[in-house]
Amino acid sequence: MNRSDHLKVLIDEQALQERVKTLGRQIREDYGEEPITAIGVLKGSFIFMADLVRAIGGDVKVEFLGVSSYHGGTRSTGVVRITQDLRHPIEGQHCLIIEDIVDTGLTMDYLHRMLDVRGPKSLKTVSLLDKPANREIEGVDIDFVGFTIPDEFVVGYGLDLGELFRNLPYIAVYTP
Ligand code: 5GP
């Protein structure tokens, strides 16, 4: 069996690109001409973030937060570990957390609470993918969602399995 036998395209490259452009326009409209501090959650959001900040346009600062919640497998451990904090204070800034996927909601909930106490002017969230079937935290706030997907393990466009597949230009369901 070669590696493509494990992958089934769920969202192709064109659909991704179109949706990200629309999200970017929507986000820019929402903030008007205000500067935005985009906070990408590493590593999964790096490709989405690169496309999204270009689609948002206007004044955007780029910051990164390193988080690890899955330790190489396909199931969540439920433990959120910060591997790299922000380099600058976010007090008084319009901040937008950029995630690849919200699954149980533990990571987004943790990050929202962690950043909220730092006094941003506003704090919103965007996730490329939303997998609501596994939600463990009620009422996780996602202001902008790219695609709602079924309860399957996906890879590509930044999302990995054991650090591989991040460079696929599409989102695929991975079946072992
Ligand atoms: P949560 O804390 O919401 O359960 O999960 C958030 C993190 O788990 C995501 O940022 C992502 O790194 C990882 N994750 C959740 N579902 C998937 C998936 O289907 N594929 C991959 N590659 N990672 C996932």
Side-chain angles (χ1 to χ4, degrees):
M1 233 171 148
N2 58 39
R3 76 181 225 151
S4 60
D5 296 331
H6 299 280
L7 301 171
K8 189 166 152 271
V9 177
L10 181 66
I11 307 167
D12 69 23
E13 190 171 357
Q14 194 191 341
L16 274 175
Q17 294 300 330
E18 281 171 13
R19 182 72 187 120
V20 173
K21 287 214 167 76
T22 307
L23 267 181
R25 274 197 299 270
Q26 221 181 314
I27 290 170
R28 181 37 84 198
E29 254 169 47
D30 191 74
Y31 284 88
E33 303 208 331
E34 297 283 336
I36 301 169
T37 302
I39 301 173
V41 183
L42 294 173
K43 297 177 188 170
S45 77
F46 82 111
I47 293 181
F48 172 46
M49 182 183 200
D51 285 339
L52 185 67
V53 294
R54 282 178 285 184
I56 292 174
D59 288 345
V60 177
K61 283 198 214 171
V62 170
E63 297 285 340
F64 295 101
L65 254 184
V67 165
S68 138
S69 56
Y70 264 18
H71 303 275
T74 59
R75 296 202 65 83
S76 175
T77 58
V79 179
V80 181
R81 194 162 57 93
I82 300 296
T83 56
Q84 183 190 309
D85 203 346
L86 299 176
R87 296 278 165 89
H88 303 101
I90 54 166
E91 196 179 344
Q93 299 172 30
H94 289 294
C95 295
L96 178 66
I97 304 175
I98 303 181
E99 259 285 27
D100 52 354
I101 184 166
V102 176
D103 184 18
T104 62
L106 284 161
T107 308
M108 192 61 112
D109 180 64
Y110 180 88
L111 295 179
H112 197 281
R113 284 185 286 114
M114 171 186 140
L115 296 179
D116 203 32
V117 295
R118 299 185 186 185
K121 194 165 182 180
S122 69
L123 183 58
K124 291 196 176 182
T125 56
V126 53
S127 183
L128 175 68
L129 306 173
D130 182 16
K131 219 159 58 169
N134 272 336
R135 206 66 104 244
E136 284 178 26
I137 306 273
E138 292 278 313
V140 171
D141 233 356
I142 321 176
D143 296 288
F144 307 94
V145 173
F147 300 89
T148 300
I149 62 165
D151 186 15
E152 311 239 43
F153 190 81
V154 291
V155 295
Y157 198 65
L159 289 103
D160 76 314
L161 173 60
E163 292 302 326
L164 292 178
F165 304 115
R166 293 194 198 275
N167 59 335
L168 296 176
Y170 50 83
I171 298 280
V173 172
Y174 182 89
T175 321

